[in-house]
Amino acid sequence: MKQKLVLIGNGMAGMRTIDELLKLSPEQYDITVFGAEPHGNYNRIMLSPVLAGDKTIDQIIMHNLQWYLDKGITLHTNKTITHIDRNGQTVSTQDGITADYDKLIIATGSNPVILPVEGKQLDGVISFRDINDVNIMIETAKTHKKAIVIGGGLLGLEAANGLMIQGMDVSVVQRGHTLMNQQLDQAASDLMQAELEAKGMHFLVDHDTAEFIGKDRVEKVRFKDGSEVKADLVVMAVGIRPNIALAQASGIMCERGILVDDTLKTYSKNIYAVGECVQYRNETFGLVAPLYKQAKVCAAQLANAGGAKYQSSVTATKLKVTGINLFSAGDFIGDDESEQLIYQDAARHIYKKLVIKANKIIGILLYGDTTDGNWYFSLLGKQKDISKIREDILFGQHQVDKDLL
């Protein structure tokens, strides 16, 4: 008799868990998946190339509807689970579909942060989170000119680049003065800003949004200093928050995210959680690498393959933003006890920075040339003493005498 496994959330972390489980134990479970969107599972990271016209929606679908049929998985699209009965071990949707489970995975992902300002409900004010948002941007670009992107992080810059390619005049609003402050320091941010300005992108740094103005549709953005800019479209890319409303309402233990242990179990019987909705120790997640690690561990637990434990580790961010290569890991800002090794070639748009403490690398930031990123990252991970190669290390692995390490 097969056990029943229900997955809430048809996104990347949840479906990666199913993929891993099918490799380990394909016959163990009858699987039912509930997804809030009308599509099969797709690669959310590839929404930017869809907006930029480099990919189609079909090309970013990872599991099409036929795949679920072929695997004997029941998929409910356009369905939001609104209740989990932990005692009866059932889940229910808003329109009355119920499914019972022996094991449950919650993979509800995250919600985009919406600024709590006047006018946020106006037409033309959106986030950048799913296929529907991308469709709105592409359609708006056909008839409107002026786009304001709020948030100078990775997602904001990707949205701005895509909207420029769609023919819009785009300004990026950043509350502080460092773009991509999770990945860059001020020097690298300045390089990036100059490079993107040369491509035609505008920036309003140190601007704090106060309200969106318009009758039915957004017409202007007003800032806290009283200044205003015109806007036909506002895209908010100011961060994400774990989507824990369902778990909280169902009495599952949460803090900032759904609390899980080393096996991705929640503190409720037979319920697991993976992805951006979870909190492991004090950490929540937004990058794909840790989500895929969680999926592997969770699948091994569900398949009774034993032994697998999740461990948080320093992750490297390797990105190509609007054609610019970046790599950052660890503490790339440093403190009073650390030193910085810096190489900068402004003409070639290259900037490399290693943060060193006690002769060991603790932080890496590479902009424009990321060739040696993985090598530096392995030195960071192994905590190698670099004192003998210190004078050559910024010039890369091929310049360093291997015998000295």
Side-chain angles (χ1 to χ4, degrees):
M1 188 61 180
K2 285 188 176 185
Q3 288 184 287
K4 290 178 178 171
L5 173 66
V6 171
L7 166 63
I8 303 174
N10 189 29
M12 292 174 75
M15 285 307 297
R16 183 59 168 250
T17 309
I18 300 298
D19 281 338
E20 298 284 354
L21 178 60
L22 292 175
K23 281 186 223 162
L24 294 169
S25 185
E27 298 303 320
Q28 190 175 345
Y29 291 98
D30 266 329
I31 301 170
T32 303
V33 179
F34 289 88
E37 292 185 66
H39 318 275
N41 167 42
Y42 62 90
N43 186 341
R44 209 177 281 283
I45 297 165
M46 299 305 282
L47 286 172
S48 299
V50 173
L51 177 61
D54 298 333
K55 290 256 190 273
T56 64
I57 299 288
D58 285 346
Q59 286 172 321
I60 71 165
I61 300 275
M62 296 158 86
H63 301 84
N64 62 22
L65 300 180
Q66 187 60 43
W67 181 89
Y68 296 83
L69 290 171
D70 294 345
K71 298 287 183 194
I73 293 171
T74 305
L75 171 65
H76 296 281
T77 56
N78 276 327
K79 298 292 178 201
T80 304
I81 296 289
T82 50
H83 182 63
I84 300 168
D85 177 351
R86 291 182 299 148
N87 296 326
Q89 297 205 159
T90 63
V91 301
S92 328
T93 66
Q94 80 282 23
D95 54 359
I97 296 172
T98 63
D100 45 347
Y101 65 84
D102 296 301
K103 296 281 193 289
L104 175 66
I105 308 169
I106 303 174
T108 44
S110 59
N111 291 323
V113 173
I114 302 297
L115 293 176
V117 300
E118 194 79 30
K120 64 178 189 286
Q121 76 295 337
L122 287 168
D123 260 4
V125 178
I126 61 167
S127 55
F128 182 19
R129 191 70 194 138
D130 56 29
I131 285 174
N132 186 45
D133 294 329
V134 172
N135 287 337
I136 291 172
M137 287 190 233
I138 291 170
E139 283 308 303
T140 304
K142 290 174 183 169
T143 52
H144 294 78
K145 193 68 194 144
K146 184 70 190 149
I148 301 292
V149 175
I150 298 178
L154 170 64
L155 207 57
L157 295 178
E158 293 284 19
N161 185 57
L163 288 166
M164 272 174 59
I165 290 167
Q166 292 290 343
M168 294 191 86
D169 173 24
V170 186
S171 296
V172 176
V173 173
Q174 172 72 337
R175 201 163 89 179
H177 47 268
T178 311
L179 301 176
M180 287 185 64
N181 59 351
Q182 303 283 313
Q183 290 87 13
L184 302 181
D185 64 5
Q186 192 59 49
S189 166
D190 291 345
L191 267 179
M192 172 172 264
Q193 186 172 333
E195 233 177 306
L196 293 176
E197 281 172 343
K199 292 182 178 183
M201 202 179 285
H202 308 294
F203 290 91
L204 295 163
V205 295
D206 294 314
H207 275 66
D208 210 347
T209 306
E211 65 176 312
F212 306 124
I213 300 164
K215 290 195 179 69
D216 300 316
R217 185 181 181 87
V218 67
E219 294 164 26
K220 285 183 195 168
V221 179
R222 181 176 291 153
F223 301 106
K224 289 193 175 161
D225 65 4
S227 63
E228 293 179 356
V229 288
K230 282 189 172 161
D232 302 314
L233 175 72
V234 173
V235 180
M236 276 195 247
V238 288
I240 55 171
R241 280 199 194 105
N243 179 5
I244 59 174
L246 171 66
Q248 279 179 316
S250 307
I252 295 163
M253 204 189 286
C254 299
E255 283 175 8
R256 279 178 308 141
I258 300 168
L259 292 173
V260 293
D261 66 12
D262 297 344
T263 64
L264 279 307
K265 267 196 184 104
T266 68
Y267 293 88
S268 292
K269 192 175 168 216
N270 293 326
I271 301 179
Y272 294 77
V274 292
E276 291 180 345
C277 61
V278 309
Q279 179 180 331
Y280 171 72
R281 307 213 166 150
N282 220 1
E283 235 185 314
T284 56
F285 304 88
L287 295 171
V288 78
L291 306 194
Y292 281 179
K293 266 172 76 178
Q294 290 171 12
K296 228 179 166 98
V297 171
C298 185
Q301 294 294 330
L302 289 164
N304 304 318
K309 294 278 168 78
Y310 181 72
Q311 273 184 324
S312 216
S313 54
V314 177
T315 48
T317 312
K318 191 169 190 175
L319 303 164
K320 195 172 180 114
V321 187
T322 64
I324 300 161
N325 289 305
L326 306 173
F327 185 102
S328 67
D331 176 8
F332 58 83
I333 300 298
D335 59 25
D336 293 344
E337 291 167 21
S338 62
E339 309 167 77
Q340 300 179 357
L341 304 182
I342 291 173
Y343 169 88
Q344 188 159 1
D345 183 342
R348 289 167 57 219
H349 304 291
I350 289 172
Y351 175 77
K352 300 179 183 183
K353 174 180 174 182
L354 299 176
V355 180
I356 314 288
K357 192 182 270 188
N359 292 318
K360 292 171 184 153
I361 295 174
I362 61 163
I364 306 156
L365 174 52
L366 307 176
Y367 177 95
D369 173 9
T370 58
T371 321
D372 289 297
N374 291 335
W375 178 59
Y376 292 139
F377 190 59
S378 77
L379 296 178
L380 182 152
K382 292 172 187 161
Q383 283 295 282
K384 285 270 191 192
D385 185 316
I386 60 141
S387 46
K388 288 180 181 163
I389 60 164
R390 182 182 167 121
E391 63 188 59
D392 293 324
I393 194 167
L394 278 176
F395 300 102
Q397 187 172 7
H398 66 287
Q399 291 284 2
V400 167
D401 184 342
K402 309 292 182 297
D403 299 335
L404 293 176
L405 260 178

